[in-house]
Amino acid sequence: MVVQRWLAYPHLWPLAFLPFVVFVVFVIVASSNAVNLTDGLDGLAIGCTVIAAGALAVLTYLSGHATFAAYLELQRMPQIGELTIFCGAMVGPPSDFCGTTHTRRKYLWGCGSLALGGAIGTVAVMIKQELLLPFIGGIFVIEALSVILQVGSYKLRKKRIFKMAPIHHHFELLGWSESKVIVRFWIASLVFALFALTTLKLR
């Protein structure tokens, strides 16, 4: 009955896609800005991006492989396997930026971080893993939340939660060296990505 009523009003059909479009825009914009906020230390953002892109490369390959997709109960998408090459491109060349030599100031800046963040969000949408994205890019989520909480707390209470936001600067002000912050955030990012991949068989 509901379907029949819906078919009787074809001019309203585009509204059926509106919530999905809004959700997709939110995922891509949030992913893009979260990576941009992480790009504050020498090699931090690109290291986490390489790890996240590596996890997405695994997911795209599994989703495009008939046997693995059936075994893991993933939605079978025959053409999506080609995205593995794209994800591989986000893993390979950017890996050069992962060094922490302070003489080269390896920041992505806006044009790089926003683009890579948008690419990560877009791939997650295309392989239907939007809800897994916060785990794949756990560090990006933490960085973005630290800024949201800091700004919200200061506007509402005139008090700061962290010494400085994003949170990697908070640890710097606690006395951690830049290299120590970067390496530990990379390790945390790897743990998040591996956890995201393990959920494929735990579903």
Side-chain angles (χ1 to χ4, degrees):
M1 182 65 69
V2 174
V3 175
Q4 291 177 347
R5 290 180 178 177
W6 185 254
L7 293 176
Y9 301 96
H11 60 284
L12 296 178
W13 291 355
L15 295 178
F17 301 97
L18 184 59
F20 177 71
V21 171
V22 172
F23 176 68
V24 169
V25 170
F26 171 77
V27 169
I28 295 175
V29 171
S31 175
S32 181
N33 282 280
V35 175
N36 188 38
L37 290 172
T38 308
D39 187 29
L41 293 180
D42 196 17
L44 174 59
I46 193 61
C48 297
T49 300
V50 166
I51 294 171
L56 287 173
V58 174
L59 290 174
T60 53
Y61 178 76
L62 295 176
S63 298
H65 195 286
T67 305
F68 291 146
Y71 175 71
L72 296 171
E73 298 181 359
L74 296 173
Q75 182 177 347
R76 169 80 168 102
M77 293 173 279
Q79 304 299 325
I80 213 69
E82 297 180 0
L83 278 177
T84 307
I85 301 173
F86 177 73
C87 292
M90 288 195 291
V91 172
S95 298
D96 175 61
F97 283 79
C98 291
T100 56
T101 52
H102 302 295
T103 57
R104 286 183 58 186
R105 309 318 304 176
K106 297 171 185 172
Y107 296 102
L108 291 174
W109 303 107
C111 59
S113 57
L114 290 171
L116 286 174
I120 289 174
T122 302
V123 172
V125 169
M126 294 180 72
I127 63 176
K128 311 296 183 185
Q129 297 293 340
E130 305 95 331
L131 299 182
L132 199 59
L133 185 59
F135 297 100
I136 294 174
I139 289 296
F140 301 136
V141 175
I142 292 173
E143 293 275 7
L145 284 177
S146 69
V147 174
I148 294 172
L149 292 174
Q150 182 85 327
V151 173
S153 176
Y154 187 76
K155 286 183 177 291
L156 295 175
R157 306 185 305 149
K158 300 300 180 183
K159 295 181 179 179
R160 292 182 172 87
I161 300 175
F162 308 103
K163 291 181 179 294
M164 189 175 179
I167 197 170
H168 55 259
H169 293 309
H170 171 77
F171 288 106
E172 275 194 301
L173 294 177
L174 288 178
W176 291 22
S177 66
E178 184 173 346
S179 298
K180 183 178 181 179
V181 174
I182 293 168
V183 172
R184 293 196 176 185
F185 273 51
W186 283 354
I187 294 172
S189 181
L190 182 60
V191 171
F192 278 119
L194 291 176
F195 173 77
L197 293 177
T198 58
T199 61
L200 293 176
K201 198 52 187 169
L202 295 177
R203 298 179 186 183

